[in-house]
Amino acid sequence: MEYVDLHTHSTASDGTETPEALVRAAAACGLKAVALTDHDTAAGLDEAEAAGHACGIRVVRGCELAARTPYGEAHILGLWLPRDLGRLGSALEALREKRALRNMRMVEKLCGLGLDISCEEVLREAGEGSVGRPHMAAVLVRKGYAHSVREAFARYLGYGGAAFVEREVLEPAQAVQLLCEAGATAVLAHPCLLPCPRDWLEGFVRELAGAGLTGLEAYHSEHDAAQTRQCVELAGKYGLELSGGSDFHGGNKPGIRLGVGRGGLRVPAFVLERLLARRARLGLPA
Ligand code: AMP
Ligand code: ZN
Ligand code: FE
Ligand code: FE
């Protein structure tokens, strides 16, 4: 059986592997395809695609967008992003600007708590990437303000943490429409991680399906068997495809490996084939 991984992050956002290293690693573990889905950016895609050509693995150009819900952020993956992003490109840029504002406000809060941390340090930690809380967490751990990333989130950076600031994100249907308009395939990421009632999730999926959603990420490192089954059922009910990926972040999410997640994840290649077939039916390029 052949396997794929359709959800990964590189140094272009908050992962620790470069796009090239990530794609090479995916090829080395025998995956048939890998999608690079960095937060709010397409910056790593050309490098990833070139590495894919060099080592014979299919690379799907993707990104991950956050959307507002009453239960916190829902995440929407865009797969098969076009090379010329058009309006999606300006939307991604605006999201990165909002990220930067939010990061600044969070750093100010950390300073207000008496911690010695600057925006420059956080930016340096992120390198070229789309900057986020994992970069702040890395600085906090390095400077001894937290023992681990987990502790940094629990005390300071997570929802309810002392330095938490809400981030301005898209409306869910707007995110889906933006991706569809660009010719990408929109997939609701890790649906069961949203802390919402079951019937609310169903209504949400129905609404997104109406806006052009193609699939649900049933297979994910943090989904258990029952949650995967719930997604499969929901997808069946609303005529959606399935997707799956590890949400690999390298050292920023220890314990999650490409293709296998925490060990038990396997996304069969037919998941990719079905997404491709759906695109072909819509006349969209692969
Ligand atoms: P941001 O995009 O800046 O809002 O940061 C979100 C990222 O932070 C997610 O992609 C996760 O990788 C990471 N994250 C969120 N909550 C936690 C947590 N409690 N522990 C560790 N990492 C987290
Ligand atoms: Zn991330
Ligand atoms: Fe996510
Ligand atoms: Fe992700």
Side-chain angles (χ1 to χ4, degrees):
M1 181 97 110
E2 289 187 301
Y3 300 99
V4 300
D5 188 336
L6 301 181
H7 186 165
T8 70
H9 298 269
S10 75
T11 49
S13 65
D14 55 3
T16 56
E17 301 290 330
T18 63
E20 180 181 354
L22 183 153
V23 168
R24 288 189 177 279
C29 47
L31 291 174
K32 192 186 166 198
V34 62
L36 182 63
T37 54
D38 278 306
H39 303 280
D40 303 336
T41 183
L45 301 180
D46 288 343
E47 179 186 325
E49 206 167 41
H53 286 136
C55 55
I57 178 174
R58 176 175 205 138
V59 169
V60 178
R61 299 172 72 91
C63 69
E64 184 172 21
L65 301 179
R68 189 196 338 267
T69 83
Y71 300 95
E73 280 184 8
H75 289 175
I76 294 162
L77 298 168
L79 299 174
W80 290 281
L81 299 191
R83 230 162 292 270
D84 181 4
L85 294 170
R87 213 168 73 91
L88 176 59
S90 7
L92 292 176
E93 203 178 316
L95 289 170
R96 293 195 298 273
E97 273 167 28
K98 284 179 181 147
R99 256 180 188 287
L101 280 177
R102 187 258 200 131
N103 294 336
M104 262 165 56
R105 291 178 57 203
M106 286 188 67
V107 168
E108 277 167 17
K109 273 190 147 183
L110 288 167
C111 292
L113 292 165
L115 279 66
D116 171 37
I117 178 172
S118 67
C119 288
E120 289 68 35
E121 280 172 295
V122 176
L123 287 176
R124 220 177 302 130
E125 186 68 39
E128 301 281 290
S130 166
V131 191
R133 287 178 291 161
H135 303 114
M136 285 180 225
V139 174
L140 293 182
V141 171
R142 186 150 37 74
K143 298 185 94 171
Y145 292 120
H147 292 105
S148 62
V149 168
R150 177 192 291 264
E151 192 192 322
F153 269 90
R155 285 181 67 175
Y156 299 111
L157 309 174
Y159 187 79
F164 181 77
V165 173
E166 200 82 56
R167 178 161 75 97
E168 234 186 281
V169 294
L170 301 167
E171 291 301 327
Q174 192 190 7
V176 169
Q177 283 157 4
L178 196 57
L179 293 169
C180 290
E181 184 192 284
T185 290
V187 167
L188 179 61
H190 42 69
C192 295
L193 299 193
L194 202 62
C196 66
R198 258 177 116 106
D199 51 347
W200 187 88
L201 180 63
E202 177 158 350
F204 186 54
V205 167
R206 193 187 314 123
E207 180 200 336
L208 294 186
L213 190 78
T214 289
L216 299 183
E217 189 180 45
Y219 312 103
H220 184 272
S221 299
E222 313 289 353
H223 275 179
D224 63 26
Q227 291 170 323
T228 297
R229 211 174 319 116
Q230 192 193 339
C231 289
V232 173
E233 276 168 22
L234 263 180
K237 193 159 168 186
Y238 294 99
L240 299 169
E241 300 297 337
L242 303 176
S243 188
S246 63
D247 213 347
F248 176 79
H249 280 70
N252 279 344
K253 273 197 189 171
I256 293 182
R257 288 186 291 135
L258 280 170
V260 297
R262 298 195 183 282
L265 182 80
R266 292 290 184 287
V267 186
F270 72 72
V271 165
L272 172 75
E273 301 307 331
R274 292 194 56 133
L275 288 169
L276 281 167
R278 170 86 64 134
R279 286 184 68 79
R281 284 202 298 280
L282 294 170
L284 295 168

